[in-house]
Structures are given as C-alpha cells and as structure tokens.
C-alpha cells in the first residue's frame, strides 16, 4: 500500500545527507580539465590554491571520489534550515487539471532566500579551517552575496562582496541584508581594483557584469595572503555542495515510493541544477533508471541553447582559469532589460558535457512568460518565487499541460531555488505592463563568439 | 530517557491542530463585552454582522465554546505552510553561554512573512462561504495586507487594502507583493472615503494611522452589500485563529517532554501573543501548570505599560464598536520615527483583562535596543527577524542573561512572528546610526487620554 503523500515532505534532521554526491566521478567521459590562463595547460591544485581555499581547490579537481563526507560543523549549520521541504503541488495540479504529479524542492526557507547557502557555508567553513581572515566574492542578483554574508557571520570571517552595479542600484535592500550580516558591499565596477578602474574608463555608464565583478573580487583577494576568493556557482566544488539538494530530493521521493519522470531546474552557472539532478543522473549513467532532465535558461542569456561548446574564460578580466563549457563569450552582457539572475555567460563544465552528450535537454524562455508563470504560481501555491526559479516553474507548467493533452500521469519534479522578496521592482514592471523581452540576434552572438580564446 | 531535541521540531501534517482554542471560554472573569458605538450597549451578533462576516461575528461573541473545530478547507491551506517549526536556539544559547534553554516558534516561513496568514485564510474562507464578493481591510507595516491578499487569491475573493500612508511610501515592495496576489492597495488617508477626506483636510501632511485606515476600510465595506470588513488583530476571533500557534507549540514541547517556564511575545493588537499563550494560559487558569507570560511592546506605543484600562473606540473615526481594553486613546499616533508595526493604540480585551488580573506581565523596550537584538540574532541564528518580532527577541535575550547570572536552567519560549525582508529601510537607518528612540511624555499621553469616551 502506498503511503499518503503530505503537502510537504520533511525529512528528519537524522536523515540529512552525510555525503555530497560528486557527479563527475560517475561520468565515464569526464569534462575537459580547467586550463591555467597563464600556461593554457591543465591547472594544478597548487595554482588553484592561490585563488581558492586549499580544500576547495582539492575538491575542484577531484573527479574520482564518488561521495565526499560533509563535515559535522557544516551539517550542524545545515540543520538550522535543512532538510528543505519537497512540496507536492496539490493546488497547482488541481487548478491545471493535469494528470501529472508535480513536486518541487523548495530551497527558499532561509534568510538568504535561496539554495546558495548550501555552498556558502561549506566554503566559509573551509576558509575558517585554513585559518584565513576573510573571503571576497561577487554577487549578481544578490542571493549569493547574502548567503555568503550569513555564512561568514556564523564563522566570524570578514566578507567583501562586489555587487554588479545594476543590481546594487535596483536592490538597495539586498545590500542592507548583507550589511546586517556584517559584510562589506561595493558596487562593481569599482575604483578599488585595477580591472574595475579599466572598465569604468572604457565604459563609464556600465551597469556592470558578473564576469567583471568576478575579476574584481579575485584581484582584491590576491592583495592579501589571508584572503581567498570564493564563487557561488559554475565550479565543480559548488556543484558538489549543491548535491545536498538532489540527495534530499531523492531520499524524500524514495521514502514515498515515487519515481520522477522529468526533473527541471533553472540554469545560470548551473550549480542548483547540477546539485538537484546529481543522484538521479548517477542512476541514469549507471543504467539503473531513466529520467528526462531539462535545463531552463533565459532567452536573453541562452548559454546552452545558442552558445558554443568551447574553452573560455570564466571572467571578463581573463585572469581566472578557463573551462570547456557552453559559453556566449566572456564579454557577453545580457540586455539591460533582463530581470533577475541567470546572467552568467557560461555553463558549468559538468552540465555542458552532459548536455553535449544528449543526457540532458535545454530550453530557453522569455521573461514575460516567466513572470506570468511566477504570478500564477504565487496565487495558487502561495510562495512568491524568485524570477530565476520561475524559469523552472514555466517549463514545469508547460510539461504538466502536455500531460493534460496526452493524459500521461508523469511525475514532474522541479527546483524552486528561491524567493522573490527582493525582486519586487521587476514584479512591478511586470504588473505595470512595462516588462519587455529581448532575444540577442545571431550577429550579436557571433560578435561575442569572436572573442573566444584560440586554444592550441 | 529524554528524546534528543532537534534544531527544528516539525510536527507532521497529521498532527496539525484540529481545533482552535477559545481562551475566553476558560476565563472565569470574562473580558467586558464590546459596546455598540450607536447605543453604548453590548453589541449584538446582528449588529456585528453588518460589518463582519456572519460566522466571524458569531465567533467574536462566543465566550463559552472551549474548542472550535477548524474547517477542513482551512486545514488544507494550513498544510501549505504549517505546522510551523518550533526551533531550539542552540546557537544563541551557546553564544550567550546561558544555562537557559531557548525555543522560538517561527511563523515567518510563508510568503506573507508572518503569523497573520493564520487568521487571514480563516476570514477569507468564511467570507467565501457566505457568498461574498470581497473584503476590505487596513494594513500598517503590511504583513496583514499581504496575508489577506494571499488568502483572497486562494479563494478568488476581491481584496481592497487601505495601507497606512507612511508604510505605503516606506515599503513600495510590500505593495507590489499585494498586487502580485491581485489586491487593490490604497494609501490611507485617501480621497475615496469620507473619513479619509476629513483627515486629509484636517491634517494635510499626515502619514496616517492604523485607526484611520480601519475607519476607511469599514466605510468602504459598508458601501456594498457583497463586501465585509476584516481585521488582522485585536479582535476575539483573530485571537481564536491564532491559537493554532500555541496549540502547535504546546504539542511540540509535550512531544519532547519539555515544560516552558517563560513565554514571551511581542504585542501590538495582541493576536499573536494571545494565540501563542492560549493553551498554556488555559493550564494556568486551571491550576494545572504555572508559566510566566511576558508581553513586549514598543516604548513609543506603550499600551499595556502606560495605557489606561477603559472602554475606547477601536478606530480613529469612532464608527467601530468599543472595547474595554488597555488603550492610549483612539487618537494616539506613534511618533514618526517609530519603525515597524505594533503601533495600535489598544490591546485586545482578553489580554487586557489577563494583564489587569496579574496573570501576564508586560514590558516596553526602545527600538534601538530592539534592532541591536535583531541584528545579533540574525548573525547567530540565521533568520532575519521583523522589527515587531525582535521585541520578543530582546526580552528573551534579557531573560536568558538573567539565567546566566542566577545559574537557573529555565526554558524560555518566544514567538518569532515574522521576517524582516521588507523592513530593510529601517535596518539601514539602524546601520547608519540614524535610528533614534522616542518615549511619549506623560503630558502627551494625558492629552490623548482626555479623548476617552465617557461610558455612562
């Protein structure tokens, strides 16, 4: 007899995963190695350790250990907001009149408002272990900066955040949340770094980009031996930490004997999606179960659906290592009318490789359609979603409507990565009918691709 | 053997209370009856029904039924965000180095960001049952308006919100959240009602008050037979709905064999506190267990600690019924520098009576001390608290520190009623050292008391 499924499946704190799942270790064809921008050779742990904390540099290169133990201190912090609920969207199913069963993993029930905290606390922990004084980072929409501020406050670390200027101005309250947690927040580009000054000279009116903010944060960290740079997405070790999402999701489904058919997530740098699908993808790679995975990205920043699979820099300043990934070119900046995050020019190498091999699908959606889905969802399921997360909602609803047409009782699982409390200015634009869509032209992308590095 | 207490105690959905606890039914000395402002006689259900939904009018006057069943539809909605977690503040205890055990009931894990949703969904349900087209209400800090918007969206009801102008201007994003849920939001005083026009004529620059917004909402509802007015605090039926907080808290503590010693809550109109303490107060009234209850209010709006226990109007326009309560006078408006909610001039009659009989204590705190506690708490426990809730945090910390002095291992439970995401402008003032305190002078209060109605 099947157990009755509650509205919210909460695992107990004892069921919190003890291990992160290292998806790469299960891939027969590994993602191409990261290259050192100085030598264009595969980067060494030693070189990475100049930028990142030692243990994070180790994790970044580890593609053989299948499961990595989560330190007790991190698990204790996780217990303050995890396990996160897996929610059965009973109300949404009813209103859509779909035979599909819809579930979403809700990562917004913590003050940072998103899944970013899962990696922030791990990175702060390893920085503290190493005896560092502080960390630097960049933030776009602000979720990552908030999460890192919280993590640093917990471990008593100094936290310097370069916030993309457009977001800094659009979201003053995000800045205040970070200040509440003791962080130092600077709009990027800034005059405090060489790359910042260069950008401001070249483009005086720029609203900034994630790629530029990364360069500034890396430069800032390099000025002091007691600091390291930390990054909130795209990297292997971030995906590793985010696998806690997928591990919990799978445990919760298994507990109720539910098998997912389609797993959907939004994709900017790819860390939440990589984390959500990790244990499911392992089963697919091992031939134990089949799943459809769908990455959803903004039509205004269509990395997977229109990008090139090539080596590229992870930052605008071209000082970071290069990754082989789907990319729009490190100089690509999404149109100013683009709301919310998911504005990174590349896609984490693991997901890029899986997508290239046909193990994952990708879809791009326009933002007015995304906000329509967001508002619809809010009114029915109660939760006010972040614009980023609403990309996944859009496609989940679309897939559920396909089931209605075909009569298939598919089980759809999507990641609801965060809340939209700090995105009300974008919601306002949408309510007032002032939100527009933007799809970059082929010419625009070709121009951006022209800047891709030639790897010998 | 005692069970190990997790960080977060989550009851299962099956353990969600099936009944609200009607505290008044257990009081031997009942609160004085509400008076009809037209006749100055105890109000009838019939008269109340002109303003409120029929069932709510019935609940308002019911002081004999001890437990009232929660309708299934409301319980289904509750399941979308309840049971709310009872959190053991392990981290706070550790940092304070106190022998006290601290717990807090967190009501902020829903999009309205507070406990207000508990009553909003009940009131929307009864309005829908009665076949009404919509409801009107007022909102101060915006939590109640948001909650009601969500509830009305769920049941397909029209929702008109009069928002205190000061908050409307300070919190544009609150307005957008309400719009996301389809509500119509008007700054109060407005030109759409008679009382609003009168207020604007008399005080052209006014930032409004809750008392005035109530009058406007009541007037607006009276224009249409298909509408009723709903209120988010102070009234008996609101306390009744909020008892779900206390019922869950008590179940969670009982489950782990924990007996509370001190129960603390912030108090504006008194509904969250009344709901939190309900089942515990029942035990105290029955002589089954003893507890200390502490109501915490702002020093700038010191209803219990400096108000008079007398009959007074619930609104500025003096069109609503009168309640016997601790009050600062219906014309009292807290100083403009006052941040956050808890700005109501009166205190629900149930709590007023309990306080008058010495069954509950009250304490007032200054807002800079409240924000200090808020920031301290956020950095340690992760959650960014609402300024309102932080009044309770302040006193919980103070009590825990007393335990440190005396070495007593008391169990402290407080209500963390909501999150502060929409209060960052106040946090900013605090960070920038621009927040000040204000304590009304005795003369100011005497002047306000002079307006109290003379009841024959």
């Amino acid at each position: 007899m099947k157990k009755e499924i509650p509205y919210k499946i909460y695992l107990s704190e004892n069921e919190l995963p003890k291990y992160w799942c290292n998806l790469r270790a299960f891939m027969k064809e590994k993602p191409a190695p990261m290259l050192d921008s100085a030598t264009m050779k595969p980067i060494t742990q030693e070189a990475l350790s100049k930028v990142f904390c030692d243990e994070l540099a180790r994790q970044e290169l580890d593609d053989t250990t299948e499961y990595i133990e989560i330190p007790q201190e991190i698990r204790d912090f996780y217990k303050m907001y995890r396990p996160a609920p897996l929610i059965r969207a009973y109300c949404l199913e009813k209103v859509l009149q779909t035979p599909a069963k819809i579930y979403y993993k809700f990562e917004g029930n913590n003050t940072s408002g998103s899944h970013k905290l899962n990696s922030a606390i791990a990175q702060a922990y390893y920085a503290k272990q190493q005896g560092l004084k502080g960390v630097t980072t960049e933030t776009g929409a602000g979720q990552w900066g908030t999460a890192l501020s919280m993590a640093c406050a917990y471990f008593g670390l100094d936290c310097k955040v370069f916030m993309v200027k457009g977001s800094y101005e659009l979201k003053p309250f995000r800045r205040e949340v970070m200040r509440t947690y003791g962080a130092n927040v600077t709009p990027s580009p800034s005059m405090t770094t060489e790359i910042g000054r260069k950008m401001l000279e070249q483009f005086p009116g720029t609203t900034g980009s994630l790629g530029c903010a990364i360069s500034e944060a890396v430069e800032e960290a390099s000025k002091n031996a007691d600091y390291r740079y930390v990054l909130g997405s795209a990297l292997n070790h971030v995906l590793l930490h985010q696998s806690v999402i997928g591990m919990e999701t799978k445990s919760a489904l298994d507990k109720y004997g539910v098998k997912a058919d389609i797993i959907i997530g939004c994709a900017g740098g790819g860390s939440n999606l990589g984390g959500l699908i990790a244990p499911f993808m392992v089963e697919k790679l091992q031939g134990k179960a089949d799943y459809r995975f769908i990455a959803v990205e903004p039509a205004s920043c269509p990395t997977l659906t229109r990008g090139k699979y090539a080596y590229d820099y992870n930052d605008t300043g071209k000082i970071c290592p290069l990754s082989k990934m789907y990319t729009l070119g490190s100089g690509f900046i999404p149109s100013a009318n683009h709301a919310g995050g998911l504005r990174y020019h590349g896609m984490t190498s693991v997901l890029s490789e899986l997508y290239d091999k046909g193990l994952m699908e990708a879809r791009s959606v326009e933002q007015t359609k995304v906000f329509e889905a967001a508002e619809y969802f809010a009114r029915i399921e109660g939760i006010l979603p972040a614009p980023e997360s609403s990309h996944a909602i859009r496609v989940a609803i679309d897939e559920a409507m396909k089931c209605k047409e075909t009569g298939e009782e598919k089980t759809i699982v999507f990641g609801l990565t965060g809340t939209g409390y700090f995105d009300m200015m974008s919601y306002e634009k949408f309510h007032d009918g002032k939100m527009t869509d933007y799809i970059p032209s082929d010419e625009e992308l070709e121009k951006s691709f022209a800047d891709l590095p030639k790897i010998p």
Side-chain angles (χ1 to χ4, degrees), chain A:
Chain A
M1 198 187 79
K2 276 203 176 179
K3 280 189 244 181
E4 196 195 332
I5 294 167
Y7 280 66
K8 309 170 300 302
I9 305 177
Y10 273 107
L11 297 174
S12 75
E13 285 168 20
N14 294 329
E15 293 170 298
L16 188 78
K18 291 188 172 58
Y19 295 87
W20 288 309
C21 169
N22 190 12
L23 178 50
R24 276 174 309 160
F26 296 88
M27 292 167 72
K28 273 172 212 143
E29 300 186 63
K30 309 285 184 199
M34 217 177 228
L35 301 185
D36 193 319
S37 59
T39 62
M40 290 295 176
K41 297 248 161 67
I43 201 158
T44 62
Q45 192 176 321
E46 198 191 340
L48 267 184
S49 297
K50 287 179 189 154
V51 179
F52 298 109
C53 304
D54 295 348
E55 177 58 19
L56 295 171
R58 201 198 61 68
Q59 291 178 357
E60 186 60 28
L61 298 179
D62 182 349
D63 61 5
T64 54
T65 314
E66 296 184 344
Y67 294 97
I68 293 177
E69 196 169 356
I70 306 175
Q72 189 57 45
E73 289 87 341
I74 298 175
R75 294 187 77 233
D76 283 346
F77 185 90
Y78 277 168
K79 286 179 187 170
M80 289 168 72
Y81 69 103
R82 303 201 73 83
L86 179 70
I87 303 178
R88 175 73 184 270
Y90 281 120
C91 299
L92 184 62
E93 289 172 17
K94 197 172 154 191
V95 176
L96 292 177
Q97 295 182 285
T98 173
K101 317 282 179 235
I102 310 174
Y103 294 81
Y104 53 98
K105 180 71 171 172
F106 182 43
E107 291 286 326
N109 266 356
N110 70 75
T111 288
S112 81
S114 82
H115 66 290
K116 298 278 184 181
L117 195 53
N118 303 331
S119 184
I121 194 63
Q123 299 197 42
Y125 168 76
Y126 292 120
K128 188 72 184 178
Q129 284 295 98
Q130 199 177 323
L132 298 177
K133 203 180 144 200
V135 293
T136 71
T137 199
E138 79 296 327
T139 198
Q143 291 180 338
W144 168 245
T146 309
L148 190 67
S149 305
M150 287 178 68
C152 286
Y154 185 77
F155 284 123
L157 283 167
D158 191 26
C159 180
K160 293 184 186 177
V161 181
F162 289 87
M163 185 169 185
V164 174
K165 196 186 264 176
S167 287
Y168 184 90
E169 284 161 3
L170 203 69
K171 299 183 173 186
F173 297 164
R174 269 281 183 208
R175 181 195 65 215
E176 286 310 316
V177 179
M178 291 186 248
R179 282 180 79 196
T180 301
Y181 290 94
N184 181 308
V185 189
T186 308
S188 166
S190 76
M191 295 299 285
T192 62
T193 68
E194 212 169 292
I195 173 79
R197 287 187 292 272
K198 213 169 107 187
M199 284 297 285
L200 285 171
E201 199 176 301
Q202 243 180 307
F203 311 101
T206 181
T207 51
S209 72
L210 215 45
C212 173
I214 292 174
S215 297
E216 287 204 85
V218 171
E219 187 186 324
E220 181 69 27
S222 71
K223 291 178 189 167
N224 191 321
D226 291 340
Y227 281 72
R228 286 295 183 282
Y229 165 70
V230 295
L231 184 88
S233 186
L235 294 174
N236 293 322
H237 63 266
V238 184
L239 258 77
L240 175 72
H241 307 150
Q242 294 297 357
S243 69
V244 70
I245 304 173
M247 300 287 278
E248 283 184 11
T249 304
K250 189 149 191 317
S251 294
L253 290 172
D254 287 351
K255 198 167 175 174
Y256 286 86
V258 176
K259 156 75 177 59
D261 296 304
I262 310 176
I263 299 176
I264 301 166
C266 62
S271 69
N272 99 74
L273 180 62
L276 173 64
I277 70 174
F280 301 96
M281 184 61 88
V282 166
E283 287 195 338
K284 183 162 177 164
L285 291 170
Q286 292 174 333
K288 287 184 185 161
D290 198 24
Y291 301 97
R292 276 180 66 203
F293 301 102
I294 308 176
V296 191
E297 57 186 18
S300 56
C301 191
T303 317
L304 285 172
T305 50
R306 296 175 68 199
K308 281 215 189 319
Y309 192 34
Y311 265 108
D312 194 8
Y313 293 94
N314 281 292
D315 65 327
T316 310
K318 302 184 181 177
I319 56 176
C320 289
L322 294 84
S323 296
K324 188 175 177 196
M325 57 184 178
Y326 277 83
T327 176
L328 298 167
S330 64
F332 182 83
I333 297 180
S335 135
N337 84 342
H338 172 76
L342 311 180
R343 44 175 67 235
Y344 188 55
H345 66 273
M347 180 61 59
T348 183
S349 57
V350 169
L351 293 188
S352 290
E353 178 65 20
L354 292 167
Y355 176 62
D356 194 59
K357 290 288 179 294
L359 289 156
M360 185 180 82
E361 305 165 37
R363 206 169 295 174
S364 77
V365 287
E366 295 178 28
Q367 67 178 357
T368 50
K369 294 272 176 283
V370 167
F371 274 84
E372 266 170 30
E375 184 168 283
Y376 185 78
F377 180 83
R379 292 185 185 186
I380 295 163
E381 285 285 319
I383 294 170
L384 182 78
E388 295 85 343
S389 324
S390 305
H391 286 71
I393 296 175
R394 173 75 271 164
V395 171
I397 291 176
D398 293 346
E399 290 296 320
M401 292 311 285
K402 280 185 202 163
C403 289
K404 187 175 177 176
E405 276 173 37
T406 62
E408 288 173 289
E409 287 187 31
K410 284 186 183 161
T411 295
I412 299 170
V413 176
F414 71 90
L416 188 68
T417 55
T419 51
Y421 305 124
F422 294 100
D423 299 282
M424 295 323 294
M425 216 172 266
S426 302
Y427 271 94
E428 184 175 7
K429 253 178 135 175
F430 173 70
H431 295 148
D432 293 342
K434 290 178 183 160
M435 181 170 280
T436 54
D437 292 318
Y438 181 82
I439 301 180
S441 67
D442 289 342
E443 293 70 34
E444 193 180 336
L445 292 184
E446 284 306 325
K447 210 174 139 191
S448 185
F449 293 145
D451 196 36
L452 285 174
K454 311 283 174 285
I455 307 299

